[in-house]
Amino acid sequence: MRVRDLINRAYMQVGDTSQETYTPYQFLEFYNEGNQLLNTLMGKYCPSLGVTTYEDRGVGQIFLPNQCVVIRKVSADGQEVNGYQVLNLQTVKFKADKEQAVSVDYVPSAEYKKFDDNSNYPAELETLLVDYMVARIMNIDVSGITGSMIEILRSLNNSSDSESGYVLSKGYFDYDSTRIDYTD
């Protein structure tokens, strides 16, 4: 779904409250804040969703194209490297005497999204981003939403380890916050 559509959903939930004077750009800033939080939690609790592999050649150092949140694995010539350092969230250094083919599995930092960009998340995570924007606009504590993000990421991680490879939702919440369950 486009970021603009998610912001519209958040704006509808805020409704006719005193926070109605917020602009779409303020919602966009809160979206990007929530997106970075979600991406960081994804690196910890469900790295299979956001892992990117970068390969290059080098002598004990590789420069990633994006800053990273989490590094899952560093390999040099097919062997896993244990003693590596990450500098400025983008440079991976390790001891080496010769040029090697280096592969890094990492979760990149969330990029700043604009209105017409796609979120590239499953619907469950998009809903959490909408909830995050609403909570920030309404000055509500976001620790409950952060806990929900962690639980959904754990659930997605557990379901991706299963043989089915997909997630079935039990239902959804309508705009008036009533749960509508799918029938069996």
Side-chain angles (χ1 to χ4, degrees):
M1 185 177 281
R2 288 183 323 156
V3 172
R4 178 183 312 275
D5 298 330
L6 295 174
I7 289 172
N8 286 340
R9 283 178 54 196
Y11 197 76
M12 287 173 49
Q13 287 185 20
V14 171
D16 294 331
T17 63
S18 61
Q19 284 77 7
E20 186 179 359
T21 59
Y22 277 86
T23 67
Y25 292 101
Q26 289 165 313
F27 278 93
L28 180 63
E29 290 302 316
F30 290 139
Y31 171 85
N32 280 303
E33 182 181 296
N35 189 27
Q36 183 63 34
L37 172 66
L38 179 61
N39 195 54
T40 303
L41 293 173
M42 190 180 347
K44 184 174 183 180
Y45 295 103
C46 188
S48 60
L49 268 181
V51 169
T52 302
T53 301
Y54 180 70
E55 297 175 350
D56 201 358
R57 295 192 65 81
V59 181
Q61 179 173 326
I62 188 170
F63 187 73
L64 301 173
N66 313 30
Q67 290 187 334
C68 64
V69 175
V70 174
I71 291 190
R72 303 300 297 172
K73 181 175 148 186
V74 177
S75 301
D77 283 342
Q79 301 292 322
E80 189 168 346
V81 176
N82 292 324
Y84 62 87
Q85 292 180 317
V86 180
L87 306 172
N88 298 326
L89 303 175
Q90 204 161 8
T91 304
V92 179
K93 293 182 96 172
F94 56 92
K95 289 190 176 197
D97 298 334
K98 62 180 180 163
E99 185 176 71
Q100 299 172 317
V102 182
S103 174
V104 180
D105 294 341
Y106 70 103
V107 177
S109 178
E111 296 176 1
Y112 185 85
K113 298 281 187 174
K114 297 179 181 163
F115 287 115
D116 292 324
D117 293 340
N118 285 326
S119 73
N120 298 326
Y121 288 124
E124 293 88 355
L125 300 181
E126 287 179 340
T127 299
L128 289 173
L129 287 171
V130 170
D131 292 344
Y132 184 86
M133 287 186 284
V134 169
R136 290 290 284 135
I137 290 292
M138 303 290 286
N139 293 321
I140 300 171
D141 183 25
V142 295
S143 60
I145 295 168
T146 304
S148 295
M149 286 179 179
I150 290 170
E151 288 305 311
I152 286 180
L153 289 170
R154 283 182 177 158
S155 172
L156 288 173
N157 192 43
N158 291 340
S159 67
S160 67
D161 292 340
S162 70
E163 294 178 12
S164 65
Y166 58 88
V167 179
L168 290 178
S169 297
K170 296 177 183 175
Y172 63 95
F173 285 91
D174 205 356
Y175 286 113
D176 62 355
S177 296
T178 57
R179 183 181 170 119
I180 299 173
D181 288 330
Y182 299 124
T183 57
D184 293 329

